[in-house]
């Protein structure tokens, strides 16, 4: 399950414009129905007239020649709609993305290729567990790189999310620049001309880079003279490490997050009303938080001294407000955030890396009586739904719209209050004989 494809299929994070989210909003009217053949052709023609705005040199003739093969792919629009769809919960997403299956597979990657990963860690200064965790979350350690032709995805995205008229400078419109970059990468023969596939957001390869980031950051680490992030694990890993090093930098020896207890007297100050909130403007050295009575949490949730070598600057982060897990986060958090602009993604990567290293889950429970399912449990649920006649549900371990529809119908069929999600508790309730 690729992170991107997963979200395309239905789970929701507004995350998967991997490694440089297109910032400009889509026009709602453009998303209400598929683009017509004429609309798409006219959009591509319009882009051809703007190649002078390409972030790197691009001749109009090259654009026209390569873009002539592009086809509108409505999966892009459907995915854009999904990202504004149903609410999702931290405890569901983290339970699936950091489940035991993914932890064990991550350890197997480290055991298999520890030496290569160690060399990458040494050269780029990024922990190998973080690189492996990104690999695991982005493409499930390789197999799930996406099935949408990258050129089609990039062009469709640019046409569904056109630049505002004011975006006249190169680089001021990410969706346009991504389309140009896809063409440049093909022109330069840096990717396969046939079957170049990726996510709906045009991210491709083992760690899911968009074409513009690929152009800027791709590394040849296996030494064959080609930066091949699709087939070569060392190239993909080193390219990811290069991204983290170049766009943010890593403080080696410092964690991404430290789970903390907030002193009672200061809890009102951080009342987020249940919202996810981060306070980067309040960054200060860890020792100063400790002096104010903040403590870290030990394995059983007991307070332990707040200490990290080098006394890095940290700031508070509350994924779901208080009560709920509370964190002080370092610059490493912001470095992962530049890789994928979702705070939930950052915590998925960091927690998976922690677990791969033998560390533990968060000590503070999420504010729910119905914690999330592992992918093995989701597959079990889906097989059961299919056996109950919901033929559209496949046991792929990814909760998407079709699975949610079936869940809702089953709750209704059993005379239970309808809901579209299932956790550990409601799984038992729903599947009882
Ligand atoms: Ca290579």
């Amino acid at each position: 399950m690729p992170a991107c494809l997963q979200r395309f299929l239905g789970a929701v994070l507004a995350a998967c414009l991997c490694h440089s989210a297109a910032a400009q909003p889509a026009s709602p009217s453009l998303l209400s129905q598929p683009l017509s053949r004429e609309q798409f052709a006219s959009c591509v023609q319009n882009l051809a007239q703007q190649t002078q705005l390409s972030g790197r040199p691009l001749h109009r003739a090259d654009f026209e020649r390569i873009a002539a093969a592009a086809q509108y792919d409505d999966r892009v629009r459907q995915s854009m709609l999904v990202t504004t769809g149903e609410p999702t919960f931290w405890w569901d997403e983290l339970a699936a993305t950091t489940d035991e299956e993914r932890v064990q597979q991550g350890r197997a990657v480290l055991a298999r290729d520890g030496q290569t990963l160690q060399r990458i860690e040494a050269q780029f200064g990024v922990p190998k567990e973080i690189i492996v965790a990104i690999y695991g979350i982005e493409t499930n350690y390789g197999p799930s790189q996406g099935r949408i032709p990258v050129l089609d995805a990039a062009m469709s995205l640019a046409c569904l999310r056109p630049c505002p008229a004011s975006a006249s400078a190169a680089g001021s419109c990410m969706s346009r620049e991504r389309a140009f970059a896809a063409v440049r990468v093909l022109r330069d023969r840096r990717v396969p001309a046939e079957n170049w596939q990726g996510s709906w957001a045009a991210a491709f390869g083992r760690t899911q880079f968009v074409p513009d980031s690929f152009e800027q950051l791709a590394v040849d680490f296996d030494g064959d003279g080609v930066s091949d992030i699709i087939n070569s694990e060392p190239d993909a890993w080193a390219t990811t490490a290069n991204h983290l090093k170049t766009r943010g930098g890593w403080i080696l020896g410092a964690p991404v997050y430290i789970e903390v207890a907030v002193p009672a007297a200061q809890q009102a100050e951080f009342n987020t009303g249940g919202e996810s909130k981060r306070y980067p403007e309040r960054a200060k050295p860890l020792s100063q938080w400790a002096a104010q009575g903040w403590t870290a949490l030990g394995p059983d949730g007991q307070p332990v001294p707040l200490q990290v070598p080098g006394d890095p600057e940290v700031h508070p982060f509350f994924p779901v407000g208080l009560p709920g897990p509370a964190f002080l986060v370092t610059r490493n958090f912001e470095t992962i955030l530049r890789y994928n602009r979702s705070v939930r993604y950052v915590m998925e990567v960091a927690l998976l890396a922690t677990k791969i290293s033998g560390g533990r889950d968060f000590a503070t429970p999420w504010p729910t009586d119905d914690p999330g399912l592992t992918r093995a449990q989701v597959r079990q649920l889906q097989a059961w739904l299919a056996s109950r006649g919901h033929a559209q549900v496949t046991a792929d371990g990814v909760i998407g719209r079709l699975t949610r529809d079936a869940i809702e119908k089953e709750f209704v069929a059993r005379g239970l209050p309808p809901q579209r999600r299932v956790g550990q508790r409601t799984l038992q309730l729903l599947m009882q004989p």
Side-chain angles (χ1 to χ4, degrees), residues 175-257:
S175 64
R176 179 179 62 202
E177 179 57 17
R178 188 165 308 169
F180 287 156
V183 170
R184 296 191 304 253
V185 166
L186 279 166
R187 174 198 64 192
D188 300 340
R189 301 178 196 279
R190 301 191 65 186
V191 291
E194 302 290 326
N195 298 320
W196 180 35
Q197 296 181 335
S199 76
W200 66 268
F204 69 98
R206 289 176 176 270
T207 48
Q208 299 281 283
F209 270 65
V210 292
D212 24 339
S213 293
F214 171 75
E215 277 184 315
Q216 291 160 28
L217 298 163
V219 173
D220 167 31
F221 199 79
D222 61 16
D224 68 351
V226 181
S227 308
D228 179 1
I229 64 169
I230 298 171
N231 298 299
S232 164
E233 287 184 325
D235 288 5
W237 296 334
T239 299
T240 288
N242 191 30
H243 190 300
L244 299 174
K245 177 186 181 214
T246 308
R247 298 194 179 162
W250 200 271
I251 311 174
L252 267 182
V256 175
Y257 64 80

Side-chain angles (χ1 to χ4, degrees), residues 120-171:
I120 291 170
E121 174 173 318
Q123 182 170 330
F124 296 92
V126 178
K128 54 186 181 298
E129 292 82 5
I130 291 288
I131 297 164
V132 170
I134 287 175
Y135 187 32
I137 287 173
E138 291 290 350
T139 63
N140 212 11
Y141 305 105
S144 307
Q145 298 184 28
R147 293 258 184 273
I148 300 182
V150 176
L151 180 66
D152 296 353
M155 289 293 173
S156 301
L157 194 63
C159 293
L160 289 163
R161 191 179 266 160
C163 303
S166 58
S168 55

Side-chain angles (χ1 to χ4, degrees), residues 290-347:
Q292 289 187 331
W294 292 51
T295 59
L297 293 179
D300 302 316
Q302 78 278 21
V304 295
L306 195 54
Q307 278 175 336
V308 168
D311 196 21
E313 284 216 334
V314 291
H315 64 265
F317 170 51
F318 305 97
V320 295
L322 294 172
F327 303 94
L328 288 170
V329 301
T330 67
R331 196 179 83 202
N332 295 341
F333 182 102
E334 297 185 296
T335 292
I336 303 175
L337 194 57
R338 291 197 180 94
Y339 198 79
N340 190 328
R341 293 180 191 179
S342 154
V343 290
R344 201 179 290 181
Y345 175 87
V346 175
M347 293 305 278

Side-chain angles (χ1 to χ4, degrees), residues 102-103 106-107 110 129 132-133 141 351-358:
R102 208 181 312 257
V103 172
R107 287 181 186 159
L110 272 173
E129 292 82 5
V132 170
Y141 305 105
L351 180 59
L352 179 59
T354 298
K355 288 182 174 180
I356 288 172
S357 315

